[in-house]
Amino acid sequence: MRFVAALLLCLLSPSAWAQDALCEPRNPARVENRDGSTLSLRTECSTSAMRRYVAELICADGLVCDRLQVEQDVTETPMGHAGLVDLDGDGMHEVEVRGMCGAGPNCEGDVYRIDPATRTLRHFFSGGYYELQVIDGWLVESGRSSCCSWEFHLWRLETPRAGPLDYDSMDLMVQVDAGGDDDGNVTSVQCTFTRQRGDNRVVVAPPSPALEAICRHYGEPYDLTPPDTTPGAPRAPAGA
């Protein structure tokens, strides 16, 4: 990866490239879930400046179990869009709504997941990111934090939560920092896993080899910051 290219990506905002945006209606997209239910998503335009994403969950018995509506101001979110995804590959799809974008590749995002107990679409996640994926039982949000650094936020999915996952409820953070030479080549990578303890963050070991693979983000050899061995320092929970 070349540092000059990374710096340009960091300085240019996607919204700066967008021309005057207008709402464009989209016909429904549909997916079948493993339990026999169907999830559909369409885009409506109440005005040329307002998008409305409408998701419907049709249960296996053919009844509409739930209907979700999310509105966006087109001027504030010229690159806003929504889609149907299967984050963890379990055959049960989610609704992902992307919103306002900042400098670089990070954009707001909200995910709504089917609650099998209530057969409703529940607000599952809210954040700002480049990519969202599930690795070894953890939800991993990745985003650029500077021209030469990426930050990853991790939530252990088997841990019960009262509300949507967000920055304040994350379990672990991973910082992957790259150093370079005058020619723009990556010469070093430092990878650090941390966990919140009071007002501070302490270094912990990766919970699993699958999660340590995050350190290979730049495709180069990396140094892993050793965990804090101070008595009483928290440990990263074991991988799922």
Side-chain angles (χ1 to χ4, degrees):
M1 177 178 179
R2 305 287 275 180
F3 269 29
V4 173
L7 182 59
L8 287 174
L9 284 172
C10 202
L11 293 177
L12 294 176
S13 168
S15 60
W17 303 332
Q19 299 178 352
D20 293 340
L22 297 175
C23 179
E24 297 182 4
R26 294 183 181 273
N27 292 328
R30 290 184 175 86
V31 291
E32 298 290 334
N33 293 313
R34 72 159 193 262
D35 65 351
S37 65
T38 301
L39 188 59
S40 68
L41 175 68
R42 66 180 183 273
T43 302
E44 298 177 346
C45 300
S46 54
T47 69
S48 61
M50 186 65 67
R51 297 188 197 94
R52 181 188 296 120
Y53 303 116
V54 181
E56 287 187 338
L57 174 63
I58 303 174
C59 290
D61 55 14
L63 298 178
V64 178
C65 289
D66 198 18
R67 191 171 189 263
L68 171 73
Q69 295 188 75
V70 178
E71 291 193 340
Q72 282 184 340
D73 185 306
V74 176
T75 303
E76 295 179 355
T77 59
M79 300 183 71
H81 61 279
L84 301 174
V85 299
D86 186 358
L87 288 175
D88 50 8
D90 66 350
M92 298 297 291
H93 293 77
E94 294 88 22
V95 178
E96 182 183 38
V97 178
R98 302 305 300 269
M100 186 182 300
C101 298
N106 305 334
C107 300
E108 292 177 339
D110 287 273
V111 176
Y112 301 86
R113 169 170 277 191
I114 299 170
D115 184 334
T118 61
R119 302 200 300 179
T120 58
L121 288 162
R122 178 174 60 88
H123 195 187
F124 168 68
F125 173 83
S126 182
Y129 54 93
Y130 167 68
E131 185 178 24
L132 198 63
Q133 60 184 314
V134 173
I135 302 175
D136 200 24
W138 296 69
L139 183 69
V140 179
E141 175 193 52
S142 61
R144 191 194 302 276
S145 56
S146 71
C147 72
C148 313
S149 178
W150 280 70
E151 195 170 283
F152 300 79
H153 305 151
L154 283 67
W155 295 262
R156 195 177 185 186
L157 291 178
E158 68 178 35
T159 302
R161 315 278 179 169
L165 306 180
D166 58 17
Y167 182 90
D168 292 333
S169 66
M170 85 173 81
D171 295 308
L172 297 175
M173 180 186 292
V174 187
Q175 191 81 22
V176 184
D177 303 303
D181 58 23
D182 292 338
D183 295 325
N185 299 306
V186 174
T187 58
S188 64
V189 177
Q190 188 70 37
C191 183
T192 307
F193 281 72
T194 62
R195 185 176 180 86
Q196 193 72 29
R197 182 176 67 180
D199 295 330
N200 302 310
R201 302 200 67 85
V202 296
V203 179
V204 296
S208 71
L211 288 172
E212 187 177 336
I214 291 171
C215 298
R216 297 198 290 268
H217 176 76
Y218 287 96
E220 301 287 345
Y222 62 88
D223 292 318
L224 182 63
T225 305
D228 185 354
T229 57
T230 304
R235 297 180 180 179

